[in-house]
Amino acid sequence: MTAFLECGRYRFALEGPESRPLVMGILNITPDSFSDGGKYMALPAAMEQAERMIREGVDIIDIGAESTRPGIEPVSLQEELDRVMPVVEALKDCGKALSIDTYKPEVMTAVLAAGADMINDIAGFCQEASIRAVAQSRCGLCVMHMQGEPKTMQVAPQYHDVTCEVTVFLEGQVNRLEAAGVARERICIDPGFGFGKTLDHNLALFQHIGQMRQALQLPLLVGVSRKSMIAAITGKDVSGRLAGNLGAALSAVAHGAAIIRVHEVGETVDALKVWCATR
């Protein structure tokens, strides 16, 4: 596996005594995200939340200006730009890597010019325009698998072998990026928990995190914070899923995940500190 993740202005160690699981904090600047929609739409609220995550030890702040919860309608390009650009401008010198959660090539181009360090694409850079938008930059890339699209992805998703099919897709997209000149050190992979997957699919992927990581020799990101997978296992609503979120985070790193994408940064950082000290 690559020893570092190159992420724009930042370089994260993945091996050796300085390495540890990275915490990516979620900053949704949307009115309709499933657990925190509307809370951080205003710039002062977004800044306050970002500053809280920084105090709590976040490594990467993942800014999303379009909800991708199941069944959601997409937003226009201009609406997404109007939401995300002021936040990127305000946070570009905050001292932490900025990731932008977007599948639109035009948004990728704009945020990279404004100082973003990473692009987190739920569509896995399937568009040639998306590859062109990122290929010549220094930004980190998160390549995610999704079956279908957010509006319909949870309508009876089916796989013959979910781990194999997700791995094959990710490998193909990584190869396309490398062919366009993207260094492997810039890439991490995300199986896309909850994006066109049932609970059984999610559990199978979780149990094979190490297998996917070994097959692709790339750092793997896990994002299940507050998702329906946690609800299905614990029976808790969104406000009661913290313990389940932490259990999932620790399980993910035990299986070999390098990056954990979460809402509760401080609690996750503390849990990982204890896990690292006692493993």
Side-chain angles (χ1 to χ4, degrees), residues 9 26-30 40-51 53 61-65 79-94 96 98-100 111 114-116:
R9 298 165 294 175
I26 299 167
L27 180 58
N28 286 323
I29 48 174
T30 60
Y40 310 118
M41 283 285 290
L43 183 58
M47 290 292 292
E48 183 179 350
Q49 176 64 3
E51 289 164 1
M53 290 194 287
I61 300 174
D62 191 46
I63 305 166
E79 178 71 15
E80 186 174 351
L81 287 170
D82 289 345
R83 293 176 185 176
V84 76
M85 292 305 291
V87 179
V88 175
E89 291 286 350
L91 289 175
K92 64 183 178 182
D93 296 320
C94 72
K96 298 294 180 179
L98 298 183
S99 167
I100 309 302
V111 297

Side-chain angles (χ1 to χ4, degrees), residues 58-233:
V58 77
D59 297 295
I60 304 168
I61 300 174
D62 191 46
I63 305 166
E66 177 176 359
S67 174
T68 52
R69 63 181 173 85
I72 198 71
E73 294 285 347
V75 303
S76 70
L77 169 62
Q78 192 58 54
E79 178 71 15
E80 186 174 351
L81 287 170
D82 289 345
R83 293 176 185 176
V84 76
M85 292 305 291
V87 179
V88 175
E89 291 286 350
L91 289 175
K92 64 183 178 182
D93 296 320
C94 72
K96 298 294 180 179
L98 298 183
S99 167
I100 309 302
D101 185 348
T102 186
Y103 58 86
K104 294 184 178 75
E106 300 90 345
V107 176
M108 297 178 190
T109 299
V111 297
L112 289 174
D117 300 288
M118 186 174 193
I119 300 294
N120 180 10
D121 183 1
I122 64 167
F125 298 94
C126 281
Q127 298 183 66
E128 287 294 337
S130 296
I131 295 177
R132 290 196 298 271
V134 301
Q136 300 308 311
S137 77
R138 297 171 53 212
C139 70
L141 305 176
C142 182
V143 184
M144 197 191 86
H145 174 275
M146 173 173 58
Q147 186 180 90
E149 57 186 27
K151 186 176 180 180
T152 59
M153 63 187 178
Q154 288 305 101
V155 180
Q158 296 183 9
Y159 299 86
H160 175 67
D161 182 329
V162 65
T163 302
C164 179
E165 290 171 51
V166 169
T167 302
V168 167
F169 169 82
L170 294 173
E171 182 176 34
Q173 294 309 107
V174 169
N175 289 341
R176 287 181 65 193
L177 287 164
E178 286 193 286
V182 176
R184 288 184 72 83
E185 289 77 13
R186 291 173 52 195
I187 303 172
C188 67
I189 52 173
D190 180 352
F193 295 97
F195 283 81
K197 283 103 177 167
T198 65
L199 175 61
D200 286 343
H201 295 145
N202 289 329
L203 292 175
L205 288 170
F206 229 93
Q207 292 156 7
H208 292 93
I209 285 171
Q211 177 181 319
M212 288 184 284
R213 176 177 173 270
Q214 185 65 29
L216 297 175
Q217 290 293 297
L218 288 169
L220 191 144
L221 180 150
V222 169
V224 296
S225 179
R226 299 184 183 173
K227 288 185 176 179
S228 60
M229 171 183 170
I230 307 299
I233 296 170

